[in-house]
Amino acid sequence: MRQPLAFTLVNFVVAGSALAASPAPALTPAFFAAHRQNFVAKLPPGAIAIVRTAPETNVETSPDPYRPDSDFWYLTGFGEPNAVAVIRPWAPEGERYILFVPPRDPEQETWNGWRAGVDGAKKDFGAEQAFPMDDFARKLPELILGAKSLYYLDGGDAPFRERLFPVWNGLNPNATVPRPMADAGPIVHELRLIKDATEMALVRRAAELSAEAHVAAMREVKPGRYEYNVKAAMVATCLNGGAARMAYPPIVGSGRNSVILHYEPADKRMDDGAMIVNDTACEYSMYAADVTRSYPVSGKFTADQRAIYEIVLAAQKAAIAAVKPGVPFHTMNAATVDVVVDGLLKLGILKGTREEIIKSGAQRKYYPHGSSHWVGMNVHDPGSYGLKDGVTGPERYRMAATALQPGMVFTVEPGIYIPEGSDTDKRWWNIGVRIEDEILVTATGGECLSCAAPREIADVEKAIAAGAAPAKR
Ligand SMILES: [Mn+2]
């Protein structure tokens, strides 16, 4: 019989695909202990942290395997639902790290999988103490006794938080204001922003596997085939490479769907002459990738498709070239906007001067999103962009002030989308192009993790030509 551990921790130590270059590192309890140590170092003296994982999913709510909350997993490595971590740095040794977990239960395990149980939580996950989850409410008052402030994470389980607060405030029934408490999210998210060596290897693996999937997808492209053939090639490559799931719902849109930023149905026949935007990537061992390629169904760019594509590619390269430690996050977006505006002016799709257009934001008609976001355990990782309070909408792209540091990972993904009916020559209609890669900040610049997916026109055309198989449904 397999040990319970095999379904929890080892669940994330998936054997590397034979195809991909970077080996997957083994995740040890020390990896998570280091995250807890860094977290504790950021807590104020006397604080207690209570961290809940994500609510359980089932076949009705998600077709994918259960995914623990990213923050909870980052701190614990514990992959089962219905668990809570309690961290009390000020308590005596042996009472500082406590896990509440689903207890061993042969009948329940037969339905829903192996459990680590209370013993496994101590032995395999480093908990100094562990209890069945059902004991949490009863033990909570004694655990919070002596804590000066509460740092919590509810893992998306709002009822958990609502039950927690009255207990915390109930410690002093005479208080007229709530006792000090804060969302622990910003602290964990700041840590997650800088990837350690193991995390870098996982992000790299997710990006490389996704790049491999994009090559496989290009081989599926041919007039008469369907968007779902492209999507299926992506999903097959990710899962064959050991991904537990996709990093986000695949976006494969051709023709008029190529100008929809988040087109999900993938049910349309791919017609000769149309462009495809394929924004699809794998999640590997809890780390996401985010990669987009765009190409013509015919396998050969028309002059007009090429003209738009070359602007987007030049914009992406300009932004990647600008990456280095110390520059503010908005640098990449500004670099893409300059190139996109200049390119659209040259084609006559925008009119005026670069300065006027950027000031009025007129380019947003065809380039409506920002160039970059953090990537990590989540595809839109929650690290801070260094925005002042109240900055919303497209201003965010211009104002993101966080200075780049080695170990940060983000996308560079300019795009141009010209919907039918746009105020342009008809020949541009329904051309959508987005090129997206993941960049790791190094000591000297930016390293593209996903650029093994072809993006030069000649390379893209070659990759599509390599898959001249007969049309299928
Ligand atoms: Mn993205």
Coordinates of all heavy atoms in Angstrom, one line a residue, residues 338-380:
D338 N 5.5 52.7 -27.0 CA 6.2 53.5 -28.0 C 6.3 52.8 -29.3 O 6.0 53.4 -30.4 CB 7.7 53.8 -27.5 CG 7.7 54.8 -26.4 OD1 6.7 55.5 -26.1 OD2 8.8 55.0 -25.8
V339 N 6.7 51.5 -29.3 CA 6.9 50.8 -30.5 C 5.5 50.5 -31.2 O 5.4 50.7 -32.5 CB 7.6 49.5 -30.3 CG1 7.7 48.7 -31.6 CG2 9.0 49.7 -29.7
V340 N 4.5 50.2 -30.4 CA 3.2 49.9 -31.0 C 2.6 51.2 -31.7 O 2.1 51.2 -32.8 CB 2.2 49.4 -30.0 CG1 0.8 49.4 -30.5 CG2 2.6 48.0 -29.6
V341 N 2.8 52.4 -31.0 CA 2.2 53.6 -31.5 C 3.0 54.0 -32.8 O 2.4 54.3 -33.8 CB 2.3 54.7 -30.5 CG1 2.0 56.1 -31.1 CG2 1.3 54.4 -29.3
D342 N 4.3 53.9 -32.7 CA 5.1 54.3 -33.9 C 4.7 53.4 -35.1 O 4.6 53.8 -36.3 CB 6.6 54.1 -33.7 CG 7.1 55.2 -32.8 OD1 6.4 56.2 -32.5 OD2 8.3 55.1 -32.3
G343 N 4.5 52.1 -34.8 CA 4.2 51.1 -35.9 C 2.8 51.4 -36.5 O 2.6 51.4 -37.7
L344 N 1.8 51.7 -35.6 CA 0.5 51.9 -36.1 C 0.4 53.2 -36.9 O -0.4 53.4 -37.8 CB -0.5 51.8 -35.0 CG -0.7 50.4 -34.4 CD1 -1.7 50.5 -33.2 CD2 -1.2 49.4 -35.4
L345 N 1.2 54.2 -36.4 CA 1.3 55.5 -37.2 C 1.8 55.3 -38.6 O 1.3 55.8 -39.6 CB 2.2 56.5 -36.4 CG 1.6 57.3 -35.3 CD1 2.7 58.0 -34.5 CD2 0.6 58.3 -35.8
K346 N 2.9 54.5 -38.7 CA 3.5 54.2 -39.9 C 2.5 53.5 -40.9 O 2.6 53.8 -42.1 CB 4.7 53.3 -39.7 CG 5.8 53.5 -40.7 CD 7.1 52.9 -40.3 CE 8.0 52.6 -41.4 NZ 9.1 51.6 -41.0
L347 N 1.7 52.6 -40.4 CA 0.7 51.9 -41.2 C -0.5 52.8 -41.5 O -1.4 52.3 -42.2 CB 0.3 50.6 -40.6 CG 1.4 49.5 -40.4 CD1 0.8 48.3 -39.7 CD2 2.0 49.2 -41.7
G348 N -0.6 53.9 -40.8 CA -1.8 54.8 -41.0 C -3.0 54.3 -40.2 O -4.1 54.8 -40.4
I349 N -2.8 53.4 -39.3 CA -3.9 52.9 -38.5 C -4.2 53.9 -37.4 O -5.4 54.1 -37.0 CB -3.6 51.5 -38.0 CG1 -3.6 50.5 -39.2 CG2 -4.7 51.0 -37.0 CD1 -3.1 49.1 -38.9
L350 N -3.2 54.5 -36.9 CA -3.4 55.7 -35.9 C -2.9 56.9 -36.7 O -2.0 56.9 -37.6 CB -2.5 55.5 -34.7 CG -3.0 54.5 -33.7 CD1 -2.0 54.3 -32.5 CD2 -4.4 54.8 -33.1
K351 N -3.5 58.1 -36.3 CA -3.1 59.3 -36.9 C -2.8 60.3 -35.8 O -3.3 60.4 -34.7 CB -4.3 59.9 -37.8 CG -4.5 59.0 -39.0 CD -5.6 59.4 -39.9 CE -5.7 58.4 -41.1 NZ -6.1 57.1 -40.7
G352 N -1.8 61.2 -36.1 CA -1.3 62.2 -35.2 C 0.1 62.1 -34.9 O 0.9 61.5 -35.7
T353 N 0.5 62.5 -33.7 CA 1.9 62.3 -33.3 C 2.0 61.3 -32.1 O 1.0 61.1 -31.4 CB 2.6 63.6 -32.8 OG1 1.9 64.0 -31.6 CG2 2.4 64.7 -33.8
R354 N 3.1 60.7 -31.9 CA 3.3 59.8 -30.8 C 2.9 60.4 -29.5 O 2.2 59.8 -28.7 CB 4.8 59.3 -30.8 CG 5.1 58.3 -29.7 CD 6.5 58.3 -29.2 NE 7.4 57.4 -29.9 CZ 8.6 57.0 -29.4 NH1 9.1 57.6 -28.3 NH2 9.3 56.2 -30.1
E355 N 3.4 61.6 -29.3 CA 3.1 62.3 -28.0 C 1.6 62.4 -27.7 O 1.1 62.1 -26.7 CB 3.8 63.6 -27.9 CG 5.3 63.5 -27.8 CD 6.0 62.9 -29.1 OE1 5.5 63.2 -30.2 OE2 7.1 62.2 -28.9
E356 N 0.9 63.0 -28.8 CA -0.5 63.2 -28.7 C -1.3 61.9 -28.4 O -2.2 61.8 -27.5 CB -1.1 63.8 -30.0 CG -0.8 65.2 -30.3 CD -1.1 65.5 -31.8 OE1 -1.7 64.7 -32.5 OE2 -0.7 66.6 -32.2
I357 N -0.9 60.9 -29.1 CA -1.6 59.6 -29.0 C -1.4 59.0 -27.6 O -2.4 58.6 -27.0 CB -1.1 58.6 -30.1 CG1 -1.6 59.1 -31.5 CG2 -1.6 57.2 -29.8 CD1 -0.9 58.4 -32.6
I358 N -0.2 59.0 -27.2 CA 0.1 58.4 -25.8 C -0.6 59.2 -24.7 O -1.2 58.6 -23.8 CB 1.6 58.3 -25.6 CG1 2.2 57.2 -26.6 CG2 1.9 57.8 -24.2 CD1 3.7 57.1 -26.5
K359 N -0.6 60.5 -24.9 CA -1.3 61.4 -23.9 C -2.8 61.1 -23.8 O -3.3 61.0 -22.7 CB -1.0 62.9 -24.3 CG -1.3 63.8 -23.1 CD -0.7 65.2 -23.3 CE -1.2 66.1 -22.2 NZ -1.7 67.3 -22.6
S360 N -3.4 60.9 -25.0 CA -4.8 60.7 -25.0 C -5.2 59.2 -24.8 O -6.3 58.9 -24.5 CB -5.4 61.2 -26.3 OG -5.0 60.3 -27.4
G361 N -4.2 58.4 -24.9 CA -4.4 56.9 -24.8 C -5.1 56.3 -26.0 O -5.7 55.2 -25.9
A362 N -5.0 57.0 -27.1 CA -5.7 56.5 -28.4 C -5.3 55.1 -28.8 O -6.1 54.4 -29.4 CB -5.5 57.5 -29.5
Q363 N -4.1 54.8 -28.5 CA -3.6 53.4 -28.9 C -4.3 52.3 -28.1 O -4.3 51.2 -28.6 CB -2.1 53.3 -28.6 CG -1.6 53.0 -27.2 CD -1.7 54.2 -26.2 OE1 -2.0 55.3 -26.6 NE2 -1.4 54.0 -25.0
R364 N -5.0 52.6 -27.1 CA -5.7 51.6 -26.3 C -6.9 51.0 -27.1 O -7.3 49.9 -26.7 CB -6.2 52.1 -25.0 CG -5.0 52.4 -24.0 CD -5.5 52.3 -22.6 NE -6.4 53.4 -22.2 CZ -6.0 54.6 -21.8 NH1 -4.8 54.9 -21.5 NH2 -6.9 55.5 -21.5
K365 N -7.3 51.7 -28.1 CA -8.3 51.1 -29.0 C -7.8 49.8 -29.6 O -8.6 48.8 -29.8 CB -8.6 52.1 -30.1 CG -9.8 51.9 -30.9 CD -10.1 53.2 -31.7 CE -11.1 52.9 -32.8 NZ -11.2 54.0 -33.7
Y366 N -6.5 49.7 -29.9 CA -6.0 48.5 -30.5 C -5.0 47.7 -29.6 O -4.7 46.5 -29.9 CB -5.2 48.8 -31.8 CG -6.1 49.6 -32.8 CD1 -5.8 50.9 -33.1 CD2 -7.3 49.0 -33.3 CE1 -6.7 51.6 -34.0 CE2 -8.1 49.7 -34.1 CZ -7.8 51.0 -34.5 OH -8.7 51.7 -35.3
Y367 N -4.6 48.3 -28.5 CA -3.7 47.7 -27.6 C -4.2 48.0 -26.2 O -3.7 48.9 -25.5 CB -2.3 48.2 -27.8 CG -1.2 47.7 -26.8 CD1 -1.4 46.6 -26.0 CD2 0.0 48.4 -26.6 CE1 -0.4 46.1 -25.2 CE2 1.0 48.0 -25.7 CZ 0.8 46.8 -25.0 OH 1.7 46.4 -24.1
P368 N -5.3 47.3 -25.8 CA -6.1 47.8 -24.6 C -5.5 47.3 -23.3 O -6.0 47.8 -22.2 CB -7.5 47.1 -24.9 CG -7.2 45.9 -25.7 CD -6.0 46.2 -26.5
H369 N -4.5 46.4 -23.3 CA -4.1 45.9 -22.0 C -2.6 46.4 -21.7 O -2.0 46.9 -22.6 CB -4.1 44.4 -21.9 CG -3.5 43.7 -23.1 ND1 -2.1 43.5 -23.1 CD2 -3.9 43.2 -24.2 CE1 -1.8 42.9 -24.2 NE2 -2.9 42.7 -24.9
G370 N -2.1 46.1 -20.5 CA -0.8 46.4 -20.2 C 0.2 45.3 -20.7 O -0.3 44.3 -21.1
S371 N 1.5 45.6 -20.7 CA 2.4 44.6 -21.3 C 2.8 43.5 -20.3 O 3.3 42.5 -20.7 CB 3.7 45.4 -21.7 OG 4.5 45.7 -20.6
S372 N 2.6 43.7 -19.0 CA 3.3 42.9 -18.1 C 2.6 42.6 -16.8 O 1.8 43.5 -16.3 CB 4.7 43.5 -17.7 OG 5.4 43.7 -18.9
H373 N 2.7 41.4 -16.2 CA 2.2 41.1 -14.9 C 3.2 40.1 -14.3 O 3.8 39.4 -15.0 CB 0.8 40.7 -14.9 CG 0.5 39.4 -15.7 ND1 0.8 38.2 -15.3 CD2 0.1 39.3 -17.0 CE1 0.5 37.3 -16.3 NE2 0.0 38.0 -17.3
W374 N 3.2 40.0 -12.9 CA 4.0 39.0 -12.2 C 3.4 37.6 -12.5 O 2.2 37.5 -12.7 CB 3.9 39.2 -10.7 CG 4.3 40.5 -10.2 CD1 3.6 41.4 -9.4 CD2 5.6 41.2 -10.4 NE1 4.3 42.5 -9.1 CE2 5.5 42.4 -9.7 CE3 6.8 40.9 -11.1 CZ2 6.6 43.4 -9.6 CZ3 7.8 41.8 -11.1 CH2 7.7 43.0 -10.4
V375 N 4.3 36.7 -12.6 CA 3.9 35.2 -12.7 C 4.6 34.5 -11.6 O 5.8 34.7 -11.3 CB 4.3 34.6 -14.1 CG1 3.8 33.2 -14.2 CG2 3.9 35.5 -15.2
G376 N 4.0 33.5 -11.0 CA 4.6 32.6 -10.0 C 3.7 31.4 -9.8 O 3.3 30.7 -10.7
M377 N 3.3 31.2 -8.5 CA 2.4 30.2 -8.3 C 1.0 30.4 -8.9 O 0.3 29.5 -9.3 CB 2.2 30.0 -6.8 CG 3.5 29.6 -6.1 SD 3.3 29.3 -4.4 CE 2.1 27.9 -4.4
N378 N 0.7 31.7 -9.1 CA -0.5 32.1 -9.8 C -0.1 32.8 -11.1 O 0.9 33.4 -11.2 CB -1.4 33.1 -9.0 CG -2.0 32.3 -7.8 OD1 -1.5 32.4 -6.7 ND2 -3.1 31.6 -8.0
V379 N -1.0 32.6 -12.1 CA -0.6 33.2 -13.4 C -0.6 34.7 -13.3 O 0.3 35.3 -13.9 CB -1.6 32.7 -14.5 CG1 -3.0 33.1 -14.3 CG2 -1.1 33.2 -15.9
H380 N -1.5 35.3 -12.5 CA -1.3 36.7 -12.2 C -0.9 36.8 -10.7 O -1.7 36.9 -9.9 CB -2.6 37.5 -12.4 CG -3.1 37.5 -13.9 ND1 -4.3 37.2 -14.3 CD2 -2.4 37.8 -15.0 CE1 -4.4 37.2 -15.6 NE2 -3.2 37.6 -16.1

